[in-house]
Amino acid sequence: MARCLLNQHKLSSLIFTVIVLCLLANHSSIAEKLPRLEHQRVNQQSLNFLVIGDWGRKGDYNQSYVANQMGIVGEKLNIEFVISTGDNFYEDGLEGVEDPAFYESFVNIYTAPSLQKIWYNVLGNHDYRGDVEAQLSPILSQKDSRWVCLRSFILDAEFFFVDTTPFVEKYFTDPEDHTYDWNGVLPRESYRAELLKDVDSALVQSKAKWKIVVGHHTIKTAGHHGNTQELVELLLPILKSNKVDAYINGHDHCLEHIMDKESGIQFFTSGGGSKAWRGDIQPWNAEELKLYYDGQGFMSVQISETNADIVFYDVFGKVLHTWSISKELKANA
């Protein structure tokens, strides 16, 4: 059935598979600039999509229920694609391209017709505990043409996906009982420096009206993990200097919205794809913390030339929080 549903997007999926095949041939080289993808939009008036993170648990911890509501909302909004903020497969990523978890946690879970669209994925720390090359491999796109996963990339001129796991010091110095796959990342300092340079350059050059950055790890959060200091020190200044509109992440298993009063950047956490942490919240300025929900759910985004409308939903599809960002329409010269 899923194969039949995918036929309506066969052409655009094929285009993306070809692009990804070309780009991934040298994805391990840090010397390359960020790969650029173009989404073949259906609706030219509004770009509608869903955001989900921290989900891959073979349907457990309400993952299947969240997927069902995503399908309902996705149909209502006629979404163009889905963004995943990482931790795609628990507990330790994929073991290889033939790992059945790809079907058990992705293909066989997100079966609604409205979700048969491209999924743009970043990697989370749990993904780095498995075979990273497997998630990046075009073989997965051949198994399910929705799947697009790169370390860091640009989508159209508006979305900037950043590989945040290599920024976190403790994964290298104190990995505990975990083993991380750092192939393609070492030497770490060079990888990180080049990535920051490329992200900054891409943001500077972008003439897009909207600039949205996506990563797995938090920058500002009242949740369990707290702020990721490495990103606060290294990535946040780049976001501020380039007047980024929003940073979207997962990592904390909650739904959250923080509005930074100083910079005006909106920080959205969509990490409620499956297992959530009830009651795990830290103090935060009430003027900035617009939403903190310690349960499962997801978010939707609708972007037009002048407005971005964000909605958070719980596992039952109930609207938890809405937010709108407006920009003036510039007159033609």
Side-chain angles (χ1 to χ4, degrees):
M1 180 178 179
R3 184 178 299 274
C4 293
L5 293 170
L6 282 168
N7 285 339
Q8 58 184 312
H9 303 287
K10 187 176 180 181
L11 180 58
S12 60
S13 297
L14 179 60
I15 292 172
F16 273 95
T17 300
V18 172
I19 293 174
V20 172
L21 282 168
C22 296
L23 292 173
L24 290 182
N26 295 307
H27 65 79
S28 295
S29 171
I30 61 174
E32 286 190 88
K33 301 301 179 184
L34 296 180
R36 293 177 178 268
L37 304 181
E38 292 186 7
H39 187 85
Q40 306 300 313
R41 292 179 57 171
V42 176
N43 185 349
Q44 299 301 319
Q45 301 301 315
S46 177
L47 178 63
N48 305 336
F49 59 93
L50 303 181
V51 184
I52 185 74
D54 304 83
W55 43 269
R57 296 184 185 272
K58 302 179 181 178
D60 294 338
Y61 295 98
N62 288 339
Q63 183 193 359
S64 295
Y65 291 99
V66 174
N68 180 62
Q69 293 300 327
M70 288 174 64
I72 294 171
V73 173
E75 182 176 1
K76 289 180 180 177
L77 299 182
N78 190 24
I79 60 168
E80 299 264 359
F81 53 79
V82 178
I83 287 177
S84 168
T85 58
D87 277 0
N88 307 318
F89 301 99
Y90 286 94
E91 287 286 330
D92 300 314
L94 294 179
E95 293 183 357
V97 294
E98 300 301 329
D99 191 331
F102 182 67
Y103 287 91
E104 295 166 346
S105 289
F106 175 63
V107 178
N108 298 338
I109 299 296
Y110 302 101
T111 56
S114 68
L115 302 182
Q116 307 309 304
K117 309 290 177 69
I118 299 295
W119 282 55
Y120 296 106
N121 302 272
V122 292
L123 299 168
N125 52 298
H126 282 267
D127 300 311
Y128 264 97
R129 295 177 189 174
D131 181 355
V132 170
E133 298 293 327
Q135 290 199 49
L136 301 176
S137 173
I139 292 176
L140 293 191
S141 297
Q142 294 169 9
K143 293 176 180 292
D144 190 318
S145 58
R146 294 178 291 175
W147 186 261
V148 173
C149 184
L150 294 86
R151 295 185 193 270
S152 300
F153 59 101
I154 301 168
L155 176 61
D156 296 334
E158 301 160 311
F159 301 92
F160 305 81
F161 293 73
V162 181
D163 183 20
T164 60
T165 301
F167 283 84
V168 183
E169 184 74 21
K170 68 179 181 180
Y171 299 148
F172 293 83
T173 60
D174 186 22
E176 299 178 333
D177 297 329
H178 307 299
T179 300
Y180 291 87
D181 178 6
W182 298 127
N183 289 320
V185 169
L186 302 177
R188 176 187 173 223
E189 291 303 320
S190 297
Y191 178 88
R192 193 170 65 175
E194 193 69 25
L195 177 54
L196 288 168
K197 176 183 174 183
D198 288 347
V199 170
D200 187 34
S201 176
L203 286 168
V204 168
Q205 294 175 25
S206 174
K207 303 302 181 184
K209 190 150 193 174
W210 299 96
K211 294 182 181 180
I212 299 172
V213 177
V214 179
H216 176 66
H217 288 80
T218 59
I219 293 182
K220 289 182 177 287
T221 178
H224 173 81
H225 288 109
N227 297 349
T228 306
Q229 284 306 122
E230 295 89 343
L231 296 183
V232 171
E233 295 171 7
L234 298 172
L235 183 59
L236 183 55
I238 293 174
L239 306 189
K240 288 182 176 179
S241 65
N242 287 287
K243 296 181 172 54
V244 163
D245 296 291
Y247 177 76
I248 301 176
N249 61 272
H251 198 45
D252 272 346
H253 295 188
C254 64
L255 302 174
E256 182 179 26
H257 174 204
I258 289 176
M259 182 183 70
D260 183 52
K261 292 198 304 179
E262 177 190 349
S263 66
I265 298 174
Q266 311 292 328
F267 293 89
F268 298 112
T269 297
S270 184
S274 56
K275 188 177 182 179
W277 298 323
R278 183 69 66 188
D280 198 343
I281 180 173
Q282 304 175 38
W284 199 275
N285 184 339
E287 292 183 23
E288 291 191 336
L289 185 60
K290 303 301 181 181
L291 169 72
Y292 188 89
Y293 178 70
D294 53 356
Q296 293 100 348
F298 59 99
M299 60 182 278
S300 69
V301 183
Q302 296 177 269
I303 299 178
S304 67
E305 190 172 357
T306 58
N307 292 283
D309 297 314
I310 294 89
V311 182
F312 286 87
Y313 308 84
D314 71 7
V315 66
F316 304 108
K318 177 184 175 182
V319 173
L320 299 169
H321 174 64
T322 63
W323 192 261
S324 294
I325 310 170
S326 298
K327 294 196 175 189
E328 293 182 359
L329 182 62
K330 294 181 179 180
N332 294 327

